[in-house]
Amino acid sequence: MYSQSDFNEIEKGSPPSVPFPKPSAPPQPSSSTSTVVTGIPVVLDNPSSNNHFPDYASAGNDNGGNVASSTLDQSQHQQLQHPVPWSSGLCDCFDDCHTCCLTFWCPCVTFGRIAEIVDRGSTPCGVSGALYMMIMCVTGCSCLYSCFYRSKLRGQYFLKESPCTDCFVHCCCEECSLCQEYRELKKHGFDMSIGWHGNDERQKRLSTMAPIVEGGMTR
């Protein structure tokens, strides 16, 4: 506690000398990070974790249907990049002798039927056939008119431009090109003799027809 010299100083009226502790060095920050509880959620970054990168794999799994549908659309788009071939060749006229004879004797009828189907009924067969016959009689270049319908037909069914350009095919072999286009439309299910509206009515009847049940009820 206090020594004799301290009592002597008190008697003289001077306060005793009280030893003060030596100032210590300021506290050093701890190397370990401590979590302070403040009631506010805090996200701690972990360098060893990969959570800061987007999880593309899980996103693909969660949206599996969307990814599959987009892949299907891309595959369909890639298929459309390559035109399909014609169902018959340019010189396969004798595969359908009836069409071959009709085109040889009356090409205006064959063209008129083709034009009506390609135009989806907007131009009647008689009008297109008469215009074709008039151009053939006046100028002799009806192929310049019919080649446009070949291009239109190819665009509707995405057919190849073969064996050469549409205009050149019709100029070199008008009858063969008309027969090929006629057979192509028949291949797609059209009855060329009844025209566009006839095929439309037939399709409506088939779609509304009740299914036929074969055989009676059996026990």
Side-chain angles (χ1 to χ4, degrees):
M1 298 299 293
Y2 294 100
S3 61
Q4 185 63 34
S5 61
D6 293 333
F7 286 106
N8 295 333
E9 291 179 358
I10 292 173
E11 293 177 354
K12 294 178 180 180
S14 59
S17 58
V18 180
F20 292 95
K22 295 181 179 180
S24 59
Q28 298 294 332
S30 175
S31 60
S32 62
T33 304
S34 61
T35 303
V36 180
V37 180
T38 60
I40 302 175
V42 179
V43 179
L44 298 178
D45 294 334
N46 189 358
S48 62
S49 175
N50 293 328
N51 293 332
H52 55 283
F53 293 101
D55 192 356
Y56 295 105
S58 62
N61 294 332
D62 295 338
N63 301 324
N66 296 333
V67 173
S69 61
S70 62
T71 305
L72 181 61
D73 294 340
Q74 291 178 0
S75 63
Q76 292 177 351
H77 181 70
Q78 290 176 358
Q79 290 178 359
L80 292 178
Q81 296 296 327
H82 304 283
V84 297
W86 292 76
S87 60
S88 60
L90 181 64
C91 299
D92 295 338
C93 298
F94 292 103
D95 290 349
D96 188 352
C97 293
H98 179 268
T99 303
C100 181
C101 294
L102 177 65
T103 307
F104 180 78
W105 295 107
C106 300
C108 57
V109 176
T110 303
F111 173 77
R113 292 178 177 180
I114 294 172
E116 182 178 357
I117 299 297
V118 173
D119 285 339
R120 303 183 184 276
S122 61
T123 306
C125 172
V127 175
S128 299
L131 183 59
Y132 178 89
M133 194 67 184
M134 183 179 64
I135 295 174
M136 184 174 62
C137 293
V138 174
T139 65
C141 297
S142 57
C143 57
L144 300 179
Y145 175 51
S146 58
C147 67
F148 290 107
Y149 280 88
R150 183 179 180 89
S151 301
K152 196 172 182 179
L153 174 63
R154 285 196 311 100
Q156 290 178 358
Y157 296 101
F158 211 74
L159 299 170
K160 288 183 178 180
E161 191 177 16
S162 62
C164 52
T165 61
D166 299 330
C167 183
F168 194 75
V169 169
H170 274 264
C171 288
C172 292
C173 193
E174 173 72 0
E175 288 76 12
C176 290
S177 58
L178 289 177
C179 288
Q180 185 186 28
E181 295 157 16
Y182 199 94
R183 292 193 306 270
E184 187 68 30
L185 290 173
K186 289 177 66 176
K187 185 72 175 180
H188 286 280
F190 289 101
D191 186 353
M192 303 297 292
S193 61
I194 61 178
W196 172 263
H197 298 289
N199 283 277
D200 188 34
E201 292 295 331
R202 185 186 66 170
Q203 183 64 29
K204 290 179 180 179
R205 288 195 303 267
L206 292 176
S207 60
T208 57
M209 184 180 300
I212 301 175
V213 179
E214 297 182 358
M217 297 179 62
T218 57
R219 298 181 62 182

